[in-house]
Amino acid sequence: MGFNLLARPLKLPCTFSLILLYLAAFILQRVHGSTPSALSVPVKPTWLGLDGNWSPVSIRVGTPPQWVDVLASTASQETWVVGRGGCDGTDKCTRERGGLFSPGSSSSWSEVGFAALGLDPQLGFTGFGQYGFDSLALSDTISVPDQIIGVINTTEYWSGFLGLGIKPTNFTESDEPTFLSSLVENQSLIPSHSYGYTAGASHRLKGVPASLTLGGFDADRFEPHDISFDLDPNQNPVVSVNNITVIATPLEASNVSTGWPGNSATLLESLDSSLFTLDSSTPYLWLPESVCNQFEKHLGLVYDQNIDLYTFGNKSSQQETLAKQNLTFDFTISDLPDSANTVSLTLPYAAFDLQLSYPFPHLNATESSDPVKYFPLRKASNDSQYTLGRAFLQETYLLVDYERNNFSVFQAKFPANTLVQTHIIDISRPGNSTFKGPDEARPSRWNGKLITGTAVGSSAALLVLTGFVVVCCRRQGFFKRSSTGGIGKGKDSAQRRFAWNFWWLRSTLKEKPAFEVDGSESYAKEFPTCHEIKELPTCETKELQGTAFHAYSDQSKRTTLMTYPVTPSDHDPSKPVELESYSPSKGKHQENTVVELRSSTPPYSPDYIRQLSSQSPSISAQSNDESQRSTRVISPITPKHADKVSPISRLGQGPQRSSSREGN
């Protein structure tokens, strides 16, 4: 009765009441859904790489967005993408390198100039990139402007990288925040400076892709424990490897024997324990030479000096023998060599049963050659190179919490439906965090009692408004049926049709949960269906004369954005690629001084930067300490020739781009 008395004098139209109810529900949803939450970065069920099958993440760069697939880098804080100069314009090259980015096609690109690529110089990573600022997006709604983008136009790095570091880069006098930091501090999209990552495993099931969560982790992708380690002073995840043991469980039908006592062998003993960096930028295990010798002895590996990697040489059957022995490698890690808390991780031989493909540098192969089986093991020349790379992260899950200065390493899990089912959990900020957090004005900064009170009060108000709308609609005959038993005619019927159309539109446009990020173009999303089919009113269609209209799909639009044929003015495959040298002292490009990149067969795989003018000033990616390191470094791809191509030693004393992530 109370509602009838309230509704009678107001006589609000039913449709207008429904609109008010929708607005109230929308406001309530926004109030309670604006809290920063972890983001699951979109991945594609495809594989990239010349040295294995690696699972990429999909990002969009520039305006309009250009889709590219890159690998996650736990050691870098920058985003690198492959440019048009890295391919010969063929779809095959574009596809195998994860797509190309053209700065000239982006209206939001802001040029900085050419600079040395500052990633893992201790491993011999060298080269130059075309740097600038541009927008970086994970979906239609998750986009961050003014991010550092490095464009690489050689094959020294076959794929691009999405850096997960937080230390800012300094091109001039100001620090530029990283993508992860921008998501927290500038966009207030994720709750903390943290991430969870596993590299994916093509050898598991039918291929399980990578998982990357920013501001949290996916609880479905690892076996939990309560042991954590401290980040090193440069905020890198570093562990002590105390033991590596290989265990054979030969298949019953294989009829093979290892010859090892107890079918197990120790490859790294506790006396040889040392600190190793977890770095997904490199695929290899960089181990002491003495440990590599144990691998070589027990596994029958052959060291190839041309590529500085272990293959099986002429013993092609040895790889099949290892597979039949059903090998597993047990790694025992801890925070420090003498730490009491240890974590045991088991990796199958399949994680290390990888292939090298043409045009891998200095591989004795042609485009028609079969891939070469190899073991991702590389000799470290000193302890600064001790690294557990991407091959290790196929079977492990890395969770990094920068704000608590710790990380954990877990045994990875491989559920069958990883692309459609996740269990995303936020990593909250600690009370004593020294990091800048999300926007203070957002509801996420409210205390618990205020959030609870607001939720209860607003929900009650929504219920009252819902009852009010129902009464209004009943008084106007919205729920009455006509004498024929069907939908009535006239004014009331028009109101009902409008209301139905409105609510149908509302249901189709309903927002997704905050932690879901669009981006998969391989798995379509379907709206729920039911047994009842409702038809919207239609009118007679009339066909107008004119020419045919040919629409294009989103896929073709994406192809247009990603594929950029190289014109003669861009790159002649038979001639060197010439890049203008940047002069920081004059703030403009020099016409007479160029950095020359020479290509080898095929045209889109230039070997190295062969000559750099000693007079050419440039911007260096290394800090002052790293620039003083020995120039005899081991390249992650062709270490044997690093002393001939290292650009670090030939840059002179020009202005530098420093990164506080690197050594102090």
Side-chain angles (χ1 to χ4, degrees), residues 426-439:
D426 296 343
I427 297 180
S428 61
R429 287 168 47 80
N432 60 347
S433 176
T434 59
F435 288 76
K436 180 183 177 182
D439 189 353

Side-chain angles (χ1 to χ4, degrees), residues 93-402:
C93 175
T94 300
R95 181 178 62 256
E96 292 181 350
R97 301 200 68 180
L100 307 179
F101 173 71
S102 174
S105 300
S106 174
S107 61
S108 52
W109 173 263
S110 177
E111 182 81 11
V112 172
F114 289 92
L117 298 169
L119 173 61
D120 288 343
Q122 75 280 4
L123 299 182
F125 280 23
T126 61
F128 287 87
Q130 179 185 0
Y131 276 91
F133 296 94
D134 213 331
S135 61
L136 177 59
L138 303 179
S139 69
D140 292 336
T141 58
I142 307 296
S143 181
V144 183
D146 301 325
Q147 292 302 292
I148 296 175
I149 306 295
V151 182
I152 51 180
N153 290 287
T154 70
T155 56
E156 194 168 0
Y157 306 93
W158 186 250
S159 304
F161 289 119
L162 176 64
L164 302 178
I166 59 167
K167 289 305 181 74
T169 296
N170 190 316
F171 281 107
T172 53
E173 297 180 355
S174 60
D175 291 336
E176 304 297 341
T178 69
F179 180 62
L180 183 63
S181 297
S182 296
L183 287 173
V184 182
E185 302 170 12
N186 300 338
Q187 304 296 313
S188 299
L189 292 173
I190 61 177
S192 63
H193 299 74
S194 58
Y195 69 86
Y197 172 67
T198 182
S202 63
H203 57 275
R204 290 286 188 173
L205 303 177
K206 296 180 180 180
V208 180
S211 172
L212 175 59
T213 305
L214 305 180
F217 57 89
D218 185 352
D220 284 347
R221 294 301 300 266
F222 63 88
E223 299 175 2
H225 59 68
D226 59 357
I227 299 176
S228 63
F229 309 139
D230 292 331
L231 296 170
D232 79 345
N234 291 320
Q235 296 184 301
N236 296 320
V238 175
V239 300
S240 172
V241 178
N242 302 329
N243 182 273
I244 302 177
T245 301
V246 58
I247 302 173
T249 310
L251 303 176
E252 294 182 0
S254 64
N255 194 28
V256 296
S257 175
T258 62
W260 309 334
N263 277 344
S264 66
T266 300
L267 305 176
L268 185 150
E269 299 181 355
S270 58
L271 295 177
D272 298 324
S273 62
S274 188
L275 298 179
F276 289 75
T277 301
L278 301 179
D279 185 357
S280 64
S281 309
T282 177
Y284 315 123
L285 305 179
W286 296 69
L287 304 180
E289 185 172 356
S290 60
V291 178
C292 292
N293 292 338
Q294 293 298 314
F295 275 82
E296 182 178 348
K297 172 184 175 182
H298 289 91
L299 302 182
L301 304 177
V302 177
Y303 180 67
D304 189 329
Q305 295 184 351
N306 290 327
I307 58 177
D308 195 30
L309 287 171
Y310 286 90
T311 67
F312 297 96
N314 296 325
K315 302 182 299 181
S316 58
S317 61
Q318 180 62 18
Q319 183 273 335
E320 299 177 359
T321 300
L322 295 179
K324 293 178 181 179
Q325 290 175 350
N326 194 25
L327 302 177
T328 57
F329 296 82
D330 289 350
F331 288 71
T332 302
I333 64 173
S334 62
D335 191 20
L336 296 171
D338 57 352
S339 297
N341 295 326
T342 62
V343 175
S344 295
L345 303 164
T346 301
L347 284 72
Y349 170 71
F352 304 112
D353 186 14
L354 305 181
Q355 296 180 339
L356 297 173
S357 303
Y358 177 84
F360 187 87
H362 301 286
L363 180 68
N364 185 21
T366 63
E367 189 171 4
S368 60
S369 300
D370 293 331
V372 176
K373 292 281 188 177
Y374 86 107
F375 196 96
L377 179 64
R378 185 155 269 182
K379 297 178 181 179
S381 60
N382 54 63
D383 58 4
S384 70
Q385 293 184 338
Y386 292 172
T387 304
L388 301 180
R390 198 181 311 126
F392 179 80
L393 290 170
Q394 293 178 109
E395 295 282 333
T396 59
Y397 190 96
L398 175 63
L399 195 159
V400 176
D401 185 347
Y402 289 113

Side-chain angles (χ1 to χ4, degrees), residues 538-546:
T538 61
C539 58
E540 181 182 358
T541 59
K542 296 182 179 180
E543 185 173 335
L544 301 179
Q545 295 182 352

Side-chain angles (χ1 to χ4, degrees), residues 14-15 18 478 494-504:
C14 183
T15 299
L18 290 174
F478 181 79
Q495 289 178 344
R496 284 192 291 273
R497 288 198 302 270
F498 180 85
W500 161 245
N501 292 345
F502 179 81
W503 284 107
W504 175 84

